Amino acid sequence: MNRILVTGGAGFLGSHLCDRLLAAGHDVLCVDNFFTGTKKNVAHLLGRPDFELMRHDVTFPLYVEVDRIFNLACPASPVHYQHDPVQTTKTSVHGAINMLGLAKRLRARILQASTSEVYGDPEMHPQREEYWGRVNPIGFRSCYDEGKRCAETLFFDYHRQHDLDIKVVRIFNTYGPRMHPNDGRVVSNFIVQALRGEDITLYGDGRQTRSFCYVDDLVEAMLRMMDSRRGFTGPVNIGNPVEFTMIELAELVLRLVGGASRIVHRPLPADDPRQRQPDIALAREELGWQPRVALEDGLKETIAYFRQLFAEGHAA
Ligand code: NAD
Ligand code: UDP
Ligand code: UDP
């Protein structure tokens, strides 16, 4: 049993991670400033003696005693991370420095939730970890992309300079229950629109691709990475390599939800990557991991979650 800190623990991925860590018998300290996460995501855990929720912004120092750290604090959807871009960069960079400082003092193992966005709009397909990426340093996505790239740099410099036990995962598009209904990401947008009978907003020609990983698969990979052999730092891609166009996604969501929504086209946002697919050979080899949940099955779970949320009157 360990005492484990999860920053961003009240968010979409973080709350699922807290669930799994508690189920495995660990003590969990969940730290979040509730910028995009909500208490509702962890409400079922409040009152447990092995769970503690702390409101705190990771851009400020944090003095606690833990054995391991999962650093997830950072808005993840373009709508949220572009809302206050300076704060996004601060969260990634100052947040990483503070959590690395904490890990250094405690000699604790620390895992960083990095992102496929470090590859930018890639010329290499599928993306392997060796690829350095093609990122616009001054665009609308840069606060997130460059912030996450700098966080990776900090992780590797603390590793080299202070012999810190680091783990870096590069997460590709992930979806599932507890996604924020208004975060503008494609899976939540399409499902929410279909459930409300509104138009499905397809950006650009809809032929751009993404590969979608179900949250349970993703959390399993993060846990395996945290437990991986010392010396295996990553970065390691985690995601589902099955690639879909946004048109295919829209049609699948429409079929599963039913209803009368129509697909309408909207302009493609700036710097929107054309194609994205992880090469997960390294995760297979080092973690013995591969995703198990097919898109259709994961979408059914996610649709059921949003139906329930709206039935309860949330975010309707
Ligand atoms: P999310 O927005 O649901 O969760 C992020 C959490 O961090 C929220 O609870 C938010 O309130 C909290 N937070 C933000 N700024 C903070 C700060 N300064 N101090 C403390 N807490 C703060 O997003 P998510 O999808 O759960 O993403 C979690 C992590 O995984 C992020 O670091 C994100 O970059 C990374 N990631 C996610 C995806 C994905 O597809 N979901 C893909 C790549 C990377
Ligand atoms: N820090 C923290 N908690 C700790 C130890 C450090 O938040 O338990 C922060 C501290 O504010 C510092 C940062 O982590 O600014 C980096 O720490 P480090 O020891 O690497 O750097 P230094 O303190 O020498 O600047
Ligand atoms: N997208 C879309 N309609 C929407 C929201 C997003 O067609 O309502 C597209 C978006 O342009 C991008 C893809 O879906 O090509 C994935 O977008 P998301 O914001 O979910 O993730 P990211 O671009 O960060 O991978």
Side-chain angles (χ1 to χ4, degrees), residues 143-201:
C143 57
Y144 185 70
D145 300 7
E146 297 290 18
K148 288 286 189 176
R149 285 169 69 95
C150 185
E152 286 200 10
T153 306
L154 285 161
F155 267 70
F156 279 83
D157 282 335
Y158 269 81
H159 173 63
R160 284 183 288 254
Q161 207 172 320
H162 300 298
D163 194 29
L164 213 62
D165 187 5
I166 63 157
K167 306 280 173 188
V168 176
V169 291
R170 291 185 178 150
I171 301 170
F172 283 65
N173 298 60
T174 303
Y175 70 99
R178 301 189 197 144
M179 286 185 92
H180 198 294
N182 299 326
D183 77 2
R185 280 188 271 193
V186 69
V187 173
S188 45
N189 265 13
F190 286 0
I191 292 177
V192 168
Q193 289 162 345
L195 286 172
R196 291 178 179 157
E198 295 169 358
D199 292 343
I200 306 277
T201 53

Side-chain angles (χ1 to χ4, degrees), residues 190 193 198-206 246-247 250 254 260-267:
F190 286 0
Q193 289 162 345
E198 295 169 358
D199 292 343
I200 306 277
T201 53
L202 195 56
Y203 299 164
D205 61 12
M246 295 310 98
I247 301 175
L254 269 179
S261 295
R262 296 173 310 133
I263 295 177
V264 296
H265 289 266
R266 292 281 177 270

